[in-house]
């Protein structure tokens, strides 16, 4: 439908109702009707008005749903549209770097239209028939970049390394595993359903995969998959899995602490049984934020686009349609229902 610049429209939004404790529930977020927006980028504002096409569900957003600082990003404001990564189309622009019809990726709000003031954080997408634009919140967006920077810059991989990835079929994990295979490593992934295990082995090219929920003893399970030990553990989950991996590391192993999705809703403290291995095996444990490596983004885009176009990697997305279904889509991350990168589609090209 043609958008008439200067007219006013209803702008439905997803808002956080109140700060939460524990696991996020669908009912913690709600669809708010009635908000009006003027469809224009006011002259002299340097703003861009965008129509949002894809919104990204990311585990770090759980940290923004609480009012105390355990996260590395500030909390959301209850009652206002929450923000996150998205792919959007420029409807009107007062910034000479963007024009009507451009597709952009960057931080937006969970609503139909967003007026962006901080236009410097938008990245113009070069449209490409071989690459779905939704990949700019997944494979070519923040999660893909996390996998790339985390694997190459933090894990210090070598050909022949034994690599273990948790939450391996997710937005980050699936790319870590594939990059490790391309690097000549032996890769095992874990995930929480038999369907994901099949995908890891048969679509994503992992050497082996297992369902961690079927295992009573995680440390024994890892010993079965890595009889010779683990050189690199790319940790997406933390908690008991991190402890089990520490108990299976080889001498001089590297552990990249990417995320702790199993701990996001916990307030108690976790006890580690295998920390002594850090000394006896001289293990390096390093936490990182993808933003630490932002200068590598152009190289990442070039490399990963090229791998994808050459058929060296694939990418799994889990797309849910409609802003009204955004709360349900978001909580799937914490029950493990998402199969691949969880995305919400508001509009199609
Ligand atoms: P994702 O893997 O696509 O989705 C989350 C997955 O985590 C779920 O599908 C589920 O898969 C697993 N999970 C959920 N609750 C769990 C629990 N209690 N125990 C074990 N596994 C659980 O998410 P993603 O976007 O790729 O993010 C993966 C991790 O990377 C997250 O921890 C995230 O916070 C982190 N991250 C860090 C950075 C950074 O800069 N450091 C950037 C992006 C993401 P299963 O079926 O495997 O259970």
């Amino acid at each position: 439908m043609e958008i008439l610049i200067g007219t006013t429209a209803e702008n439905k939004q997803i808002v956080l109702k109140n700060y939460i404790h524990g696991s996020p529930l669908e009912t913690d977020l709600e669809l708010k009707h009635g908000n009006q927006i003027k469809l224009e980028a006011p002259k002299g504002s340097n703003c861009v008005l965008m129509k949002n096409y894809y919104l990204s569900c990311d585990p770090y957003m759980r940290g923004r749903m609480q009012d105390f600082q355990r996260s590395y990003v500030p909390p959301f404001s209850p009652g206002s549209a929450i923000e996150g990564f998205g792919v959007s189309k420029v409807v009107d622009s007062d910034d000479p770097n963007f024009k009507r019809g451009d597709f952009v990726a960057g931080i937006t709000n969970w609503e139909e239209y967003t007026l962006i003031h901080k236009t410097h954080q938008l990245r113009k997408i070069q449209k490409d028939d071989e690459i779905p634009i939704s990949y700019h919140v997944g494979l070519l967006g923040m999660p893909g970049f996390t996998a790339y920077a985390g694997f190459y810059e933090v894990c210090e991989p070598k050909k022949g390394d034994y690599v273990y990835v948790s939450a391996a079929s997710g937005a980050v994990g699936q790319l870590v595993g594939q990059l490790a295979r391309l690097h000549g490593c032996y890769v095992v992934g874990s995930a929480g359903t038999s369907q994901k295990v099949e995908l890891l082995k048969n679509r994503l090219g992992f050497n082996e995969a297992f369902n961690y929920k079927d295992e009573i003893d995680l440390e024994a399970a890892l010993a079965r998959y890595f009889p010779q030990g683990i050189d690199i553990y790319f940790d997406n989950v933390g908690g008991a899995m991190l402890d089990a991996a520490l108990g299976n590391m080889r001498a001089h192993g590297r552990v990249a602490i990417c995320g702790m999705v199993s701990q996001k809703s916990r307030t108690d403290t976790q006890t580690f049984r295998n920390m002594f291995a850090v000394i006896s095996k001289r293990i390096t444990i390093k936490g990182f934020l993808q933003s630490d490596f932002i200068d590598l983004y152009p190289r990442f885009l070039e490399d990963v686009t090229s791998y994808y176009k050459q058929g060296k990697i694939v990418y799994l997305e889990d797309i849910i349609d409609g802003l009204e279904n955004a709360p349900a889509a978001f909580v799937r991350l914490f029950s493990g229902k998402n199969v691949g990168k969880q995305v919400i589609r508001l509009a199609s090209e």
Side-chain angles (χ1 to χ4, degrees), residues 100-321:
R100 189 174 186 175
D102 284 346
F103 275 93
V104 292
I107 296 285
T108 187
N109 292 339
W110 281 32
E111 58 191 357
E112 292 169 289
Y113 298 95
T114 302
L115 185 66
I116 293 285
H117 298 262
K118 295 179 188 163
T119 54
H120 62 273
Q121 57 87 31
L122 296 175
R123 178 173 61 81
K124 208 185 286 190
I125 295 173
Q126 301 306 331
K127 287 234 4 187
D128 185 327
D129 290 344
E130 292 177 63
I131 298 186
I133 58 165
S134 55
Y135 277 19
H136 289 272
V137 291
L139 179 68
L140 300 175
M142 184 277 284
F145 182 59
T146 303
Y148 182 91
F151 181 64
Y152 292 121
E153 300 298 315
V154 182
C155 295
E156 297 178 15
K158 291 189 298 296
K159 190 170 183 230
D161 274 349
Y162 292 93
V163 177
Y164 170 50
V165 187
S166 54
S169 66
V172 175
Q174 60 175 304
L175 184 58
V176 174
Q178 293 181 85
L179 294 177
R181 288 285 284 137
L182 283 176
H183 205 74
C185 302
Y186 179 87
V187 190
V188 178
S190 61
T193 67
S194 52
Q195 180 202 7
K196 292 181 183 182
V197 169
E198 277 309 297
L199 287 167
L200 286 168
K201 291 198 282 195
N202 300 325
R203 284 283 307 282
L204 297 166
F206 283 60
N207 296 88
E208 267 299 346
F210 67 96
N211 181 348
Y212 68 94
K213 290 182 181 165
D214 288 345
E215 302 292 340
I216 296 162
D217 182 340
L218 294 175
E219 201 170 329
L222 287 174
R224 241 177 27 246
Y225 286 98
F226 293 98
Q228 63 300 90
I230 300 169
D231 293 299
I232 291 173
Y233 172 38
F234 194 101
D235 185 21
N236 284 315
V237 304
M241 190 60 95
L242 172 56
D243 200 21
L246 287 176
N248 280 280
M249 297 303 289
R250 293 177 104 183
H252 305 289
R254 284 85 69 205
V255 179
I257 307 285
C258 174
M260 297 214 166
V261 69
S262 75
Q263 306 296 295
K264 284 206 187 289
S265 305
R266 291 177 64 144
T267 48
D268 55 337
T269 46
Q270 161 94 36
T271 308
F272 282 83
R273 292 180 304 118
N274 290 319
M275 279 306 277
F276 188 70
V278 177
I279 302 171
S280 59
K281 300 279 180 57
R282 287 84 82 206
I283 299 166
T284 302
I285 303 179
K286 191 167 177 187
F288 73 100
L289 288 177
Q290 49 82 26
S291 50
D292 299 341
F293 301 97
I294 207 71
D295 291 349
L296 299 180
Y297 214 94
R299 194 180 86 195
F300 149 74
L301 279 180
E302 201 176 306
D303 285 353
V304 173
T305 302
S306 155
Y307 295 153
Y308 180 75
K309 287 191 173 181
Q310 291 174 60
K312 290 183 175 170
I313 53 173
V314 296
Y315 199 66
L316 305 178
E317 292 183 303
D318 190 331
I319 297 183
I320 298 239
D321 280 300

